[in-house]
Amino acid sequence: MLYLSADGRHPVRFTLNGRYVEGEAEPRLLLTDFLRHEIGATGTHVGCEHGVCGACTVRVDGLVVRACLVYAVQVDGCRVDTIEGMADGDELNDLQLAFQRHHALQCGFCTPGILMSLSQLVEEEPHADGSRVREVLSGHLCRCTGYYGMVAAVMEVLAARRKAKNV
Amino acid sequence: MIYRLIFSSDHLHPTRLIVSNARMEHVGRSFERVEDPALLRGAGRFADDLAEPPGCLHAAFLRAPVAHAEIKSIDTKNALALPGVTAIITGSELAQHTAPFLSGVKVNAPQYALAIERVRHVGEPVAIVVARDRYVAEDALEIIQVDYASLDPVVDPEVAAEPTTQLLHPDAGSNVLHERRFKYGDPDQAFAEAAHVVKTTVRYPRNSCTPIEAFVVLATYHPGENVFEVTANFQGPYTLHPVMARALGLPGNRLRLKTPPDSGGSFGTKQAVFNNIVGLAVAAKVSRRPVKWVEDRLEHLAASTSATNRVTTIQAALDADGHITALDYDQLEDCGAYLRAPEPATIYRMHGNMTGAYTIENLAIRNRVVVTNKTPTGLMRGFGGPQVYFALERVVDLAAARLGIDPLEIRRRNLVPPNAMPHSTAPGAVLDSGNYLGTVDRAEHEGDLAELRARRAQARADGRLYGIGHACIIEPSISNMGYITTLLTPQERARSGAKNGALATASVNFDPSGAVTVQVSSVPQGQGHRTVLAQVVADELGIYPSTIVTATDHDTLKDPWSIASGNYSSRFAGAVAGAAKLAAARIAERLKSIAASDLNVPLSDVELTDGMARAVSNPDNAIPIERIAAKAHWSPLSVPLDAGAGLRETAFWTAPELSEPDTHDRVNSSGAYGFIFDFCGVEVDPLDGAVRIDKYVTAHDAGRILNPTLADGQIRGGFAHGFGAALLEELTYTPDGAFLAGTFSDYCPPYASDMPELKILHDQSPSPVTPTGAKGLGEGNCMSTPVCIANAVADAVGCPVNTLPLTRERILKLISIEEPVDPKPTRIPPLELLGDGHALRGEGSATVPASPEKVWETILDPDHLPAIIPFCHAVEHDGEHTYRVEASFGIGPIRGRFQAQLLLSNLDPGKGLCLNGDATGALGCATGRSEIRLTKCEKGTRVDYAYALLISGKIASVGGRLLEGAVRGQIAEIFGRIAGANTTKTASGLRARLAGWLRVKS
């Protein structure tokens, strides 16, 4: 168990989207604030800061977590993946492209968190059906779209990936 | 980059699509959005993503924990001493720098950016802390001491309107800050002669569209020029710019307001950032540093803005055939604690179309606007529509039932017929175009209403609760700047000068390389304006949308704008895109003039297409448009005189039809009027009260559709808001003004798993008013869907539905099946509550391995109090059996200090006592009673306790599950510690606390 003094700043070092980053944080600094304002990775958004809306969703060591419910010091030594690492260089990935095709976003504020949750879904559950997709999406709030395009986009990606892998 | 077309079915009805200009090729088609690639990779530029200036400080607001109180004193000494705190601005200091905000109603009820002397709603800002970072600023909030003297809270608008009720603004003389009556035609005679009069009273609740991005303000003061430079995710209307400037005591050009390139949704709400802009501007001036504030979710839900809740008594007069001959509205509008600009606009936005989609010649309206101890209201998607149509479309259903006519048939009998277009309504709207009956027929057929009726028949035969609802509504768009002046009498209007029109602006520019930029003041909030503007301008210039760059971030110092600028009243597609079309058309004429000279053909022979200026008579005679544009920059002396110099055009457009209200109070309140017909089938579960939407069909005639995919996106989004308003969402207050919906667990927007399927149909009767032929379409389902679902539920359960949202509890109440109550008997009779706050009751017991006498001693020993109160910081003996306690309490991330006064009473030595107390702190207030009984038992003493608590303020706002769990845990811990203390009676101080704590935990 790591004990940190409340007053001091503590080193935080982790791998962000495949690149080593480091900084210092008070123990109470949230991961959202650290990513956005210490590292400058502003793609992770803050919507509620109580773990309900899902806008801040990132992946820590592959697991989907709410960055607003994690302290920065907790990810020391971890692998952190955010929306900024999703595209392959200049090329949007299949999920991002499907979101664009299906008008699955409007203001785009909730979108990064949603894409992070869905990235895990499409990796781990190739046979997810519509109700499973809605269940996963129900960890997120979107106020613009009514979710319609998102469900269509994910179903299309799942089918295409299944076809590509012949499963 | 090649522009990709989205091929989608079901969007257009080709036989009805009217193409006014054969050269148009991009408008009317679905294009992927230019906004998306950045947003999809997290590269959007939202307000909180922009670089902070060097030395930027961060602000946090201290907010009122009570609904209504006088501020006796504010002590900021300790907070100012906290390292990292730069400044604290209280109301009295703010009042030295600012004037009250202007209001549309001349009453003495001033509002400033901070509460002055009195707080009037939970969450009202009381002070601004400016500090090194937000964390330190929030630390400082905790140790600011405010002494409040309670006043009677006024929450119910009907109570507020009574003359004997406590006044919110004593100088205004009444809580009713505005009242006007209107008569159009002869409603008295129509009601006197009516074959039937149907009457109902409905209550529309408070709700909010809650964008996922909350408010952001970054304010800087430039002392050399006396200029405030503010970046904020403000959405307009820019009528509020002079309101802010006046509050700061400056002409408009000294308040430079910039909006960011991206905004995380608004739906009207971000209008209400304006009072914070003034507060932050003062904070920047006082602290002499840039100051940034990012609103958190609790602040947004509790204190930003809300739709108005409204009580409407509506009467309809009908002839024997079911024709509505007159309507009478008595509307009581609750605008919250202040009439914040542009209120009371909500109640007047629909004024011209208060007769709905129907031909009704006689109309009476009484509008009253009251203030209550709730958050001030403001713009909200649908603005005024949900409230009006909830009354109108409910009474139409009741009329159908009274006359024994099918609810769809009675609507058909009253809809404005196509041959009556354009139809001038009794209160003054000009319903410009459309075939409402045709749209209803088509939706009935294509939406298969007959099949839905068969489903209802089958469900009812099976004994299930199944109903069908309908709604016909007019969706107004492009608000007339003069509609709000309908609240003035014609004489008052004549004195104050006419207000009319709705100016939209757009600029189109060719740079020297021939590339095109478009700039507008529509301040989009996610709708995709940039994509549509590129389509519209490309068609006028004969170029490709992908070559155009559009800027929608806005700067009042440098960009064109006007009083009507901003993102509201669905004004983009008709007005702003229309202005862009006009600006582009002007530039196209100038390009043609240069091309005619270069191609050596008459001007009438030149066309712009596929990026070329071409002679129609000889298509080989052509020149690239970018070369013409370059010529205008590089060789201005060589272009024809009539082409002018440079290639930039700014168009201002307003609908000429938008006159000010006339002397009979008739007003064409909007520039365009769409039509919507919805129907749905719902099933109600009689056991748990859940409403399931079986099928929902929405048919729109919003004029010409510029981009079908984006149009459907707007409809789906509006539908989600309407669905939430119908079934889930309410900003709940207790009767004493405590706010109970401060998190997304307490205020419940729909999730993906909640949303039903939606079938969308379009007709396209082009608006004769707007340059694009488009009417607004993004707000309509916020107006139609709540009442459509309410009508369906009423049909299902067989009783009237008079309020929303139709939560499970409310449905169960409607069908008179009470929720199962906890059968466990209480040993101690329930304690009476002391008021009406967020009430918590509980009971429990603990066994203590000591005699009742020992336990009694422990409870009465003041030295033991610190040990038995978790997170106790200090205890003072304050008279016999009275203690002052300072302790911390928290729920999840919210934690704060409280000062409590505890009083022991009804002492029955060795047997029992009462413990009463009050606590106040930055997080809120609590008052409570508890009763404790001691009984000797085998293992020592059995301690039984019961308590009743009333909680208000921030801590109540996080409500429900979280709060109850935390309080129960804390109280159980206290009694557990009493048990623990009895076995460590020789220990004291820290040792006792540790020992007690460990024992309880083990």
Side-chain angles (χ1 to χ4, degrees), chain A residues 9 26 28-34 36-37 41-50 52-53 55 69 71 83-92 95-112 115 131 133-151, chain B residues 4 6 32-37 39-44 46 48-50 52 132-133 135-136 139 208-214 262-265 267 292 296-298 301 381 525-528 709-714 716-718 720-721 724 729 742-745 747 749-758 893:
Chain A
R9 284 165 70 83
E26 290 178 20
R28 65 178 177 173
L29 190 76
L30 297 175
L31 179 56
T32 43
D33 288 335
F34 187 81
R36 293 178 51 78
H37 302 303
T42 54
T44 300
H45 297 153
V46 177
C48 74
E49 286 185 299
H50 52 263
V52 179
C53 81
L69 299 182
Y71 294 116
I83 187 64
E84 286 97 337
M86 182 170 268
D88 182 11
D90 287 342
E91 296 295 312
L92 297 178
L95 197 54
Q96 290 167 311
L97 287 170
F99 259 53
Q100 183 173 20
R101 264 196 313 280
H102 289 276
H103 192 30
L105 67 156
Q106 287 183 24
C107 80
F109 194 81
C110 67
T111 311
L115 285 172
S131 82
V133 169
R134 285 174 188 277
E135 187 183 353
V136 170
L137 280 174
S138 294
H140 295 268
L141 281 172
C142 165
R143 291 299 260 161
C144 293
T145 65
Y147 310 99
Y148 176 80
M150 295 179 201
V151 178
Chain B
R4 277 168 301 192
I6 302 175
E32 290 189 351
R33 301 198 319 163
V34 297
E35 290 87 350
D36 289 355
L39 296 172
L40 284 163
R41 62 182 87 222
F46 297 94
D48 189 33
D49 300 342
L50 305 179
E52 292 167 8
R132 182 180 68 220
D133 61 40
Y135 292 73
V136 173
D139 288 344
S208 173
C209 291
T210 65
I212 304 300
E213 180 196 43
D262 291 304
S263 180
F267 322 107
K292 182 175 177 180
D296 70 27
R297 183 54 54 185
L298 174 56
L301 286 166
R381 194 175 195 169
Q525 306 290 318
Q527 298 98 327
T709 297
L710 268 56
D712 280 3
Q714 286 304 304
R716 290 188 186 285
H721 283 295
E729 299 179 33
T743 74
F744 274 143
S745 305
Y747 187 83
Y751 287 98
S753 50
D754 297 318
M755 289 307 301
E757 290 292 316
L758 176 67

Side-chain angles (χ1 to χ4, degrees), chain B residues 416-678:
Chain B
V416 177
N419 58 12
M421 291 292 175
H423 171 69
S424 193
T425 68
V430 181
L431 305 182
D432 46 64
S433 55
N435 177 352
Y436 302 170
L437 285 161
T439 301
V440 169
D441 287 346
R442 186 175 154 231
E444 182 181 11
H445 176 67
E446 291 183 31
D448 209 350
L449 183 57
E451 191 269 342
L452 199 62
R453 286 180 174 145
R455 242 188 264 185
R456 176 174 64 183
Q458 182 60 51
R460 287 182 175 174
D462 297 343
R464 292 182 283 137
L465 299 177
Y466 194 104
I468 293 176
H470 313 79
C472 290
I473 70 143
I474 294 295
E475 175 177 4
S477 51
I478 313 173
S479 281
N480 182 343
M481 286 295 99
Y483 82 76
I484 185 69
T485 63
T486 317
L487 69 86
L488 303 173
T489 64
Q491 297 74 28
E492 288 168 333
R493 274 199 300 275
R495 280 199 295 276
S496 68
K499 291 190 174 63
N500 54 38
L503 268 186
T505 70
S507 300
V508 178
N509 180 60
F510 272 95
D511 72 16
S513 75
V516 175
T517 49
V518 179
Q519 201 284 327
V520 294
S521 56
S522 65
V523 200
Q525 306 290 318
Q527 298 98 327
H529 291 185
R530 293 172 58 203
T531 301
V532 175
L533 288 165
Q535 290 177 253
V536 169
V537 170
D539 281 352
E540 293 302 316
L541 296 177
I543 59 176
Y544 297 101
S546 57
T547 64
I548 297 172
V549 170
T550 304
T552 50
D553 45 336
H554 194 267
D555 181 340
T556 55
L557 192 67
K558 298 197 290 191
D559 298 324
W561 62 284
S562 183
I563 198 76
S565 294
N567 186 351
Y568 63 96
S569 79
S570 300
R571 61 197 303 281
F572 171 73
V576 179
K581 182 180 156 84
L582 297 178
R586 279 189 216 155
I587 288 210
E589 285 311 304
R590 293 168 57 190
L591 288 171
K592 283 184 188 173
S593 171
I594 303 172
S597 134
D598 274 25
L599 299 174
N600 204 18
V601 295
L603 183 63
S604 59
D605 193 28
V606 180
E607 68 168 3
L608 305 175
T609 178
D610 297 329
M612 303 291 282
R614 203 182 296 274
V616 179
S617 57
N618 175 15
D620 290 339
N621 185 16
I623 183 172
I625 288 172
E626 57 199 47
R627 276 193 49 200
I628 309 173
K631 193 171 177 181
H633 283 280
W634 289 99
S635 328
L637 303 181
S638 308
V639 303
L641 279 175
D642 63 351
L647 276 180
R648 184 184 184 93
E649 281 288 343
T650 297
F652 283 80
W653 177 82
T654 184
E657 292 82 356
L658 292 177
S659 325
E660 64 273 19
D662 70 14
T663 51
H664 303 289
D665 292 318
R666 295 180 82 246
V667 58
N668 189 20
S669 40
S670 298
Y673 300 90
F675 173 72
I676 297 178
F677 169 55
D678 283 5

Side-chain angles (χ1 to χ4, degrees), chain B residues 750-794:
Chain B
Y751 287 98
S753 50
D754 297 318
M755 289 307 301
E757 290 292 316
L758 176 67
K759 184 173 179 64
I760 302 172
L761 298 166
H762 292 288
D763 279 334
Q764 298 193 51
S765 311
S767 164
V769 173
T770 65
T772 55
K775 309 173 185 180
L777 54 64
E779 295 184 85
N781 283 94
C782 292
M783 308 181 192
S784 60
T785 298
V787 68
C788 186
I789 292 175
N791 282 343
V793 169

